[in-house]
Amino acid sequence: MFPHHREREQPIFSSRAHVFQIDPATKRNWIPASKHAVTVSFFYDANRNVYRIISVGGTKAIINCSVTPSMSFTKTSQKFGQWADSRANTVYGLGFATEQQLHQFSEKFKEVKDAARLAREKSQDKELANTALSIAAPQDLSDELQSPPVMCVNGPEDKLFRSQSADITLSSEKERIKKMLSEGSICEMNLDTELFTLQDSNTKLVAALHEANANVEQWKKQLAAYQEETDRLREQLAEIEAHGGHGPSDLLKDELTQSLEELEALLKAKDEEIHILQNKKVEYHDMEHDRDEAIHRLRETEMRNAEMERRIQNTEQTLSNSLEERDRMESEIQRAIEILDIKIFDLNDLRQSLVKLIDK
């Protein structure tokens, strides 16, 4: 049966980049594989102990590359890197928005490559141990490896035709459901990657929000202090203007006016920071809404996959029943043939007896 993709592989790192592939004709020019930046993720398959790089655009897999110890990621510029996939006979290129994103992807590539190398070494050690055990174990398996005898029976053509038609119909239905399940797995992979990206963004926004909330009280206190200082300076300025002094008071008035303007500019800057934090809070709620929608779509996809698996089970059960029915029909036909052979033999004896009787 087909296990859920979510149970097989888990995303361990994601980043957004423009994907390119080398031109197979020239082996020099780059061909864009995506019209815009897409999510490129590292996935880990715990069952097979395999790491893969996957990028999905819509329902099409742009990158589906298994990481091997022989691979290497090369930075060719400040925001572009590439690696070769010998199995797919191509070279992938990634263009990032910032140099930091390129550096993070390169470090993760090295980390995953080392992990793949360790996994291969463990697998080779295990294979050597199993080989040694198999050499030391008894090798007398000839009886188990003998194939059962194959019986060919020529029965009625209409029954065999109906049996073969049923097999073809069930096989085509099974292949169609497998194709639907494969498309559902790609869609689920896309949703899983999107969910991982949303969770990563959600974590960053939550950290920024907590930091902003920790500083907002201090900013409020500073704002209140600035407002008090502004009111005090306004009062002093009003007193100076009321006295109508000249000379040194004019200089003091200029200093107070400058201080007042600086405080007003600072208040304006703090108001803008508070407005930015409020906008980030709204964006955080929007991200939460998008995450909930992605989780809902993922659950619907898992439900559809479970339904398709159930249909495949029913199809396989029907196929098994049809095969058993065909075997039973063949057995009955074989028995009928044996009975007919006996009857023919008896008729032949009777004919020979009649010929002898006539000759006498």
Side-chain angles (χ1 to χ4, degrees), residues 195-226:
L195 179 61
F196 180 78
T197 304
L198 289 173
Q199 288 176 346
D200 184 51
S201 300
N202 184 31
T203 302
K204 294 179 180 179
L205 286 174
V206 168
L209 190 61
H210 287 330
E211 182 180 358
N213 289 333
N215 295 330
V216 70
E217 294 297 330
Q218 180 180 359
W219 288 348
K220 287 182 179 180
K221 293 179 181 179
Q222 292 179 357
L223 185 62
Y226 293 150

Side-chain angles (χ1 to χ4, degrees), residues 7 38-39 100 108 127 153 243 268 301 305 309 329:
E7 295 176 357
V38 295
T39 300
Q100 182 182 4
K108 180 57 67 173
E127 290 178 359
V153 179
H243 287 83
K268 185 178 180 181
T301 304
N305 286 348
E309 287 188 357
M329 292 173 59

Side-chain angles (χ1 to χ4, degrees), residues 121-171:
E121 291 176 355
K122 291 181 180 178
S123 177
Q124 291 176 351
D125 294 341
K126 186 176 180 181
E127 290 178 359
L128 290 175
N130 293 335
T131 304
L133 291 175
S134 63
I135 293 174
Q139 299 295 324
D140 189 9
L141 300 175
S142 59
D143 295 338
E144 297 180 2
L145 297 177
Q146 290 180 353
S147 301
V150 179
M151 182 184 299
C152 296
V153 179
N154 294 325
E157 295 182 358
D158 57 344
K159 293 184 178 180
L160 290 178
F161 179 76
R162 287 197 298 269
S163 177
Q164 292 174 356
S165 300
D167 291 345
I168 294 173
T169 303
L170 292 173
S171 299

Side-chain angles (χ1 to χ4, degrees), residues 15-80:
S15 182
R16 293 187 66 83
H18 290 271
V19 181
F20 299 86
Q21 282 186 332
I22 200 71
D23 189 352
T26 62
K27 297 294 184 180
R28 298 180 63 182
N29 299 327
W30 290 104
I31 300 176
S34 61
K35 295 181 180 180
H36 50 78
V38 295
T39 300
V40 182
S41 304
F42 286 90
F43 279 81
Y44 174 61
D45 188 342
N47 293 334
R48 297 187 300 159
N49 202 11
V50 173
Y51 294 87
R52 290 199 299 164
I53 303 175
I54 296 176
S55 178
V56 179
T59 58
K60 179 183 178 182
I62 301 175
I63 300 176
N64 187 0
C65 171
S66 297
V67 180
T68 62
S70 60
M71 289 182 177
S72 61
F73 185 81
T74 305
K75 298 179 182 179
T76 58
S77 66
Q78 294 182 351
K79 299 180 182 180
F80 193 86

Side-chain angles (χ1 to χ4, degrees), residues 320-331:
S320 177
N321 295 336
S322 299
L323 292 175
E324 291 177 358
E325 180 66 20
R326 186 181 67 179
D327 293 339
R328 187 184 63 80
M329 292 173 59
E330 291 178 351
S331 177

Side-chain angles (χ1 to χ4, degrees), residues 25 44-45 66-67 83 93-94 105 119-120 149 154 197 208 212 214 220 229 233 251 284 296 306 322 329 334 339:
Y44 174 61
D45 188 342
S66 297
V67 180
W83 81 95
L94 297 180
F105 188 89
R120 174 173 291 185
N154 294 325
T197 304
K220 287 182 179 180
E229 181 68 16
L233 291 175
L251 180 60
Y284 168 72
H296 179 68
S322 299
M329 292 173 59
Q334 180 65 25
I339 294 173

